[in-house]
């Protein structure tokens, strides 16, 4: 295991793509282990692909790319603007609400951050918001996508940990809405102090809200339809992915009439590239996962933690601190695939609900995408808005503190996370 970890981190530092770094690290374990034929490693790569729940990944990726071409984005922006532009820091508030609504469409934090940086970023800067503040709001609000269904991270966690994806989707709704509220409160406090005004002088009328919601109804109904389809037993999570593609096609071609055949081909091409990248990571992670189990890493780590404490809350806290530090250096998808088989067997015997732990884990590892030194969402937004990273870091500190405080609350009160899945499933 030491050689495997060493090879992985050395290859990462050398700039090798993550999927190949995982594959070569896993392969090194089987080459150097006399008790383990190399053919077993090859079999594990093939075995990792033989999973019905994995079908949800390419379907949801394709649905997200199709949705971005159906005219849904500008309808959601209009809806968000009507709802919150009257508040202090109006356009920044719009960005946060839009992240919440887009989380139910794209399922990807980086995609959401890039879209908002292109569309809302220049407008925020033109209205006097600093580049650092603008970048921090857009990047960190994309964290909401980590829990709002259909989160790709939750699908992968459910696949690796054998946890109900339907329950995970339901459990992510309340934390996602709480994240929105916490970030909006942070923006409000900063905007009041700096004099970032509202975009609209008056609060919207019920008629204006109703009109905006009606115009964006097909986007707003999408995550609701997914949850009810899973809860009602109409579709499995994998089948819901196929339904999402059909839904995006119907909305794009027939209802909004903004999805062209050329746009459909572009979405398909982008989805193939994204799916290929994700699936390579998943397949090569099969070797590493087998090595982790063979070396009894979960048992060793559990024994080490038991020597420190048997208190479930403290064990979860230690794991979350480790995940936060790991997320600063490694992409969230990789952490979910590699660390779920280690930590889930540790916390489950202690009475920690795997759904609760999944929401905490997905939030904290995705948070790494918004923080240095290797935050993908952070670099994406800063490059698009030409913002120095040091300015971003300074402006992001209040938002980082707010997010960490919310994670502490969600850890201490599992009922906030488990309320919906326990009530509906």
């Amino acid at each position: 295991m030491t050689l495997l970890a060493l090879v992985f981190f050395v290859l990462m530092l050398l700039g090798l793509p993550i999927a190949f770094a995982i594959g070569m690290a896993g392969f090194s374990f089987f080459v150097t282990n006399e008790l383990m034929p190399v053919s077993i490693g090859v079999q594990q790569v093939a075995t990792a692909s033989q999973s019905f729940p994995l079908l949800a990944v390419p379907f949801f990726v394709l649905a997200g790319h199709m949705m971005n071409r159906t005219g849904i984005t500008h309808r959601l922006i209009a809806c968000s603007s009507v709802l919150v532009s009257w508040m202090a820091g109006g356009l920044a508030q719009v960005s946060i609400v839009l992240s919440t609504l887009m989380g139910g469409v794209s399922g990807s934090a980086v995609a959401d951050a890039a879209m908002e940086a292109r569309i809302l970023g220049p407008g925020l800067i033109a209205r006097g918001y600093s580049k650092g503040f603008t970048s921090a709001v857009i990047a960190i609000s994309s964290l909401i996508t980590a829990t709002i269904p259909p989160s790709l991270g939750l699908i992968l966690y459910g696949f690796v940990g054998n946890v109900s994806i339907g329950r995970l989707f339901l459990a992510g709704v309340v934390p996602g809405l709480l994240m929105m509220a916490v970030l909006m409160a942070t923006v409000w406090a900063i905007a009041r102090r700096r004099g970032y005004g509202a975009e609209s002088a008056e609060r919207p009328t019920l008629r204006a809200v109703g009109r905006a919601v009606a115009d964006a109804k097909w986007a707003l109904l999408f995550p609701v339809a997914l949850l009810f389809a899973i809860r009602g037993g109409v579709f499995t999570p994998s089948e819901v992915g196929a339904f999402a593609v059909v839904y995006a096609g119907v909305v794009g071609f027939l209802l909004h009439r903004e999805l062209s055949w050329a746009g459909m081909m572009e979405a398909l091409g982008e989805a193939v590239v994204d799916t290929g990248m994700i699936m390579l990571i998943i397949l090569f992670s099969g070797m590493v996962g087998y090595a982790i189990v063979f070396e009894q890493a979960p048992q060793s780590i559990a024994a080490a933690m038991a020597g420190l404490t048997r208190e479930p809350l403290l064990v979860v806290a230690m794991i979350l601190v480790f995940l936060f530090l790991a997320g600063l250096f490694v992409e969230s998808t990789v952490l979910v695939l590699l660390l779920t088989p280690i930590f889930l067997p540790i916390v489950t015997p202690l009475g920690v609900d795997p759904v609760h732990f999944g929401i905490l884990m997905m939030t904290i590892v995705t948070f790494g995408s918004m923080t240095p030194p290797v935050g993908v969402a952070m670099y994406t937004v800063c490059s698009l808005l030409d913002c120095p990273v040091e300015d971003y870091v300074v402006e992001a500190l209040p938002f980082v503190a707010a997010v960490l405080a919310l994670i502490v609350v969600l850890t201490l009160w599992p009922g906030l996370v488990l309320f919906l899945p326990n009530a509906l499933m």
Side-chain angles (χ1 to χ4, degrees), residues 94-186:
V94 170
S95 175
I96 294 172
V97 174
L98 181 61
S99 286
T100 309
L101 300 180
M102 284 300 297
V105 175
S106 69
S108 167
V110 177
D112 172 51
M115 179 274 298
E116 291 196 30
R118 291 189 185 97
I119 297 175
L120 294 180
L124 278 159
I125 295 170
R127 284 167 173 78
Y129 296 84
S130 70
K131 286 186 177 180
F133 179 81
T134 299
S135 301
V137 169
I138 291 174
I140 295 182
S141 64
S142 69
L143 178 62
I144 300 171
T145 309
T147 61
I148 291 288
S151 165
L152 293 178
L154 292 180
I155 294 172
L156 295 179
Y157 173 85
F159 156 68
V160 176
N162 195 27
V163 180
S164 167
I165 295 175
R167 284 181 62 84
L168 286 167
F169 277 3
L170 286 169
V173 174
V174 172
L177 295 176
L178 288 175
M179 185 80 68
M180 178 189 74
V182 165
L183 293 177
M184 288 180 69
T186 306

Side-chain angles (χ1 to χ4, degrees), residues 401-422:
V403 169
L404 293 178
L406 177 61
I407 292 173
V408 170
V409 170
L410 294 176
T411 304
L412 294 175
W413 285 280
L416 291 173
V417 177
L418 299 175
F419 169 73
L420 273 182
N422 286 344

